[in-house]
Amino acid sequence: MNELAERLARSWVCLYTLGLGPEVRAARRAEIASDLWEHRRDATATGATDFAAAVLGRMLAGMPSDVVWSVESRGSAPEASARGLPWLSQRGLQTAIIWGTAVFVAALSLIDAAGMPFLGFMVLGIGGVLLVAGLMRAVLGSPGGAGSGSLEENRMDADIYRGRRVRLLVVLGASVAIVLAIWAHALSLDHWGDTRTVVFTVGGILFPVIALGALVLLIADLLRMRRA
Amino acid sequence: MRRKADSLIPLEARILAAGLAFRERGQPDFHGFLVAKEIQADTSARRLTAHGTLYKALGRLEKAGLVRSRWEDPEAAAHERRPRRRLYEVTSTGERALADAARADRAGATRRGALEVA
């Protein structure tokens, strides 16, 4: 239980520091790792039995501050956030979306035609993660404050906005295409089984939400571009 | 509620007070967990300060120049087979800010007392 609590706390730090500059990210992760270590040593020394609950409590109670800190850190370092996730480059985002779409279609085929629901759900899960990662990258790559710096900085901001607009359009297009594909497939069905219901419910909720998120961000960017 | 740029919120004041208490005990710097323990003991709180709240407050204090931080020597950490600590120290500006905040608190309490009497 103690291990699990520590792992959860570490995972949470990894999540909210994604997309931050490498130094800020490494510093926060190292600081929390050190805190957890000291906490565990203290619990061992004092014989405290509620270490796991204490760690989880500290993690949960601090989540709002973590999120605010993460957003503020992005705003104060636009050059860092523009670089985004090191493992998911801008080209990688588009690849992720294409692969996400491909695995979703493959999952549908596996579940429906080949009759392999377990494998299909696994593929569906991977596809969902890839697509959500793509959207997160689009959000995390948000530029800091356009129009606030020198001419060169403003030009860089404008380039970041353009890049982000392209990414959001790709996310939006992929989501709409998937929803249309789901509808087309659903209309061709002779009967409506349990597995299909789950697949269509997941797809029917996930992709419109992704598309709506991308659309809102796209409109916000266009408005900010116009103002800048 | 937006607070004044030069004012301290209770947690920030507690961190600075804990840092000064460590210094009085001959320990000039402190790390995050240590200050969380000190605050817990000082306020008789049931729980330690949350990670996010504590490190965000420490970051704010550092940005305002009220504390400074450094990462300890990696060899010291390796020798004790533990992760490196980020060590904080209260600056003279932090010391003054805490004294000012305490004065402002006392003045506020006196004003409130006078109003209640009136």
Side-chain angles (χ1 to χ4, degrees):
Chain A
M1 191 62 191
N2 290 352
E3 288 280 337
L4 180 67
E6 274 191 66
R7 210 170 295 162
L8 278 171
R10 282 174 205 275
S11 305
W12 167 241
V13 185
C14 287
L15 185 68
Y16 73 76
T17 53
L18 277 177
L20 292 176
E23 279 180 24
V24 180
R25 187 173 61 229
R28 175 52 74 101
R29 289 179 185 182
E31 193 156 28
I32 298 293
S34 166
D35 186 299
L36 290 169
W37 192 92
E38 301 287 349
H39 195 166
R40 183 190 265 261
R41 182 166 74 168
D42 181 73
T44 310
T46 57
T49 52
D50 63 344
F51 172 74
V55 167
L56 289 176
R58 291 182 77 197
M59 180 190 82
L60 292 170
M63 276 180 169
S65 297
D66 287 330
V67 172
V68 171
W69 174 83
S70 177
V71 170
E72 283 174 356
S73 301
R74 280 166 225 287
S76 64
E79 73 287 349
S81 62
R83 276 199 303 275
L85 310 179
W87 50 271
L88 202 62
S89 65
Q90 304 215 359
R91 248 174 225 288
L93 165 76
Q94 278 132 34
T95 313
I97 290 166
I98 292 163
W99 275 104
T101 312
V103 291
F104 188 77
V105 173
L108 279 182
S109 315
L110 280 169
I111 293 165
D112 203 36
M116 291 191 281
F118 178 73
L119 199 59
F121 281 122
M122 229 168 69
V123 176
L124 182 66
I126 295 165
V129 168
L130 280 172
L131 275 161
V132 172
L135 183 67
M136 273 179 69
R137 175 61 184 82
V139 176
L140 295 174
S142 127
S148 56
S150 64
L151 273 175
E152 184 57 29
E153 282 170 345
N154 288 346
R155 211 173 7 250
M156 280 169 68
D157 284 339
D159 285 345
I160 292 167
Y161 273 119
R162 263 193 295 279
R164 179 170 144 139
R165 225 163 53 198
V166 171
R167 295 197 298 274
L168 290 173
L169 275 171
V170 172
V171 172
L172 189 63
S175 303
V176 170
I178 290 167
V179 171
L180 289 176
I182 290 171
W183 285 348
H185 189 67
L187 288 173
S188 70
L189 290 175
D190 291 333
H191 64 277
W192 194 257
D194 286 345
T195 310
R196 287 173 192 149
T197 308
V198 175
V199 171
F200 291 128
T201 307
V202 170
I205 293 170
L206 184 66
F207 291 101
V209 167
I210 290 176
L212 192 67
L215 188 65
V216 169
L217 290 170
L218 190 65
I219 292 167
D221 271 7
L222 287 172
L223 289 174
R224 282 160 74 179
M225 271 288 278
R226 185 163 288 191
R227 265 198 304 243
Chain B
M1 190 175 73
R2 197 171 282 274
R3 66 180 175 122
K4 277 194 275 180
D6 58 346
S7 65
L8 291 174
I9 60 170
L11 176 62
E12 291 167 347
R14 282 188 200 119
I15 292 172
L16 291 175
L20 292 177
F22 289 130
R23 188 187 292 172
E24 274 175 24
R25 286 181 232 149
Q27 189 181 344
D29 42 33
F30 55 91
H31 55 84
F33 180 73
L34 200 61
V35 82
K37 280 284 283 183
E38 179 76 8
I39 290 171
Q40 186 189 29
D42 211 33
T43 57
S44 309
R46 274 184 59 234
R47 291 184 185 284
L48 289 161
T49 311
H51 295 138
T53 319
L54 176 68
Y55 292 106
K56 190 167 183 282
L58 280 166
R60 267 197 316 268
L61 289 172
E62 185 167 28
K63 210 171 169 185
L66 307 186
V67 298
R68 61 174 154 258
S69 78
R70 65 181 172 85
W71 284 94
E72 74 171 338
D73 181 12
E75 278 182 23
H79 184 68
E80 292 184 31
R81 300 173 73 179
R82 57 169 172 73
R84 278 172 83 191
R85 291 168 175 164
R86 185 174 187 170
L87 299 170
Y88 295 88
E89 189 183 351
V90 179
T91 61
S92 52
T93 317
E95 221 173 322
R96 272 199 303 277
L98 184 63
D100 290 346
R103 257 196 303 277
D105 272 357
R106 277 197 298 273
T110 310
R111 266 198 304 276
R112 277 194 301 277
L115 281 172
E116 277 168 21
V117 169

